[in-house]
Amino acid sequence: LIGCSPPPAEWPLFETVQVRRTVEGSRTLILPSVYEEFLRGQIAYNNDNHSSAQRHFEAALRGDPRSAYIMTWLAKAQLSRQRNDDARQSIDRALEQDECHEFALCVAAEILVAEGDSDGAMRSLQRAIDCEPRQPEAYFQLAQILEQRGATERAEAVFRSLLETQPRQGPVM
């Protein structure tokens, strides 16, 4: 689910939902209101209503101000509204919470591309790959930038390295 931080001590337990996570074997508690706002934000974002998405993500962050995942979605909504400075601030906050957050590093690359810094975007994507080598999104974004620069052979090498990280599956019937 979403990568929220533990709730403040003043939150009564009956108002929280327990969610088991596999990350470091920890248990994360999420307020239902935070989760609802986050889901509303994702729905709005997926329906291209980025202004509404931003409001919902901001509301979710008021309930869980240390969630790198929600901060990253907020940055995506801000970027979609061409609010690059706000998106940069949100993504910087997310990466302060988790410097190896693959999704945040990919969104940071999107922001850098929007700002015309494809070199910085490639560095961010390489960091995402180093942090989470089995997640394909950073590979796809990196290969896309390389293709746009005319470095087709390097883009193909990125795709080959992605295939090497994926589990082998038998033939499809």
Side-chain angles (χ1 to χ4, degrees), residues 144-161:
Q144 184 179 28
I145 292 171
L146 289 167
E147 282 185 347
Q148 289 171 346
R149 291 178 136 196
T152 306
E153 288 180 21
R154 284 184 60 204
E156 290 172 359
V158 168
F159 280 123
R160 279 192 300 279
S161 63

Side-chain angles (χ1 to χ4, degrees), residues 103-141:
F103 180 41
L105 289 163
C106 287
V107 173
E110 291 175 30
I111 295 166
L112 290 164
V113 166
E115 294 172 344
D117 183 2
S118 60
D119 289 335
M122 289 193 309
R123 285 190 298 276
S124 184
L125 293 167
Q126 187 57 59
R127 175 103 172 102
I129 290 168
D130 293 343
C131 290
E132 295 287 343
R134 297 185 80 172
Q135 295 297 321
E137 183 61 31
Y139 292 90
F140 290 128
Q141 284 182 258

Side-chain angles (χ1 to χ4, degrees), residues 37-78:
E37 288 294 348
F38 173 76
L39 290 178
R40 288 179 183 272
Q42 281 199 313
I43 290 167
Y45 185 88
N46 290 334
N47 288 320
D48 293 326
N49 188 346
H50 301 128
S51 178
S52 177
Q54 181 176 334
R55 283 193 306 277
H56 287 294
F57 294 138
E58 287 169 344
L61 279 171
R62 283 192 292 279
D64 188 357
R66 296 178 303 207
S67 172
Y69 192 67
I70 297 172
M71 286 176 209
T72 301
W73 274 101
L74 174 60
K76 281 187 72 71
Q78 291 165 327

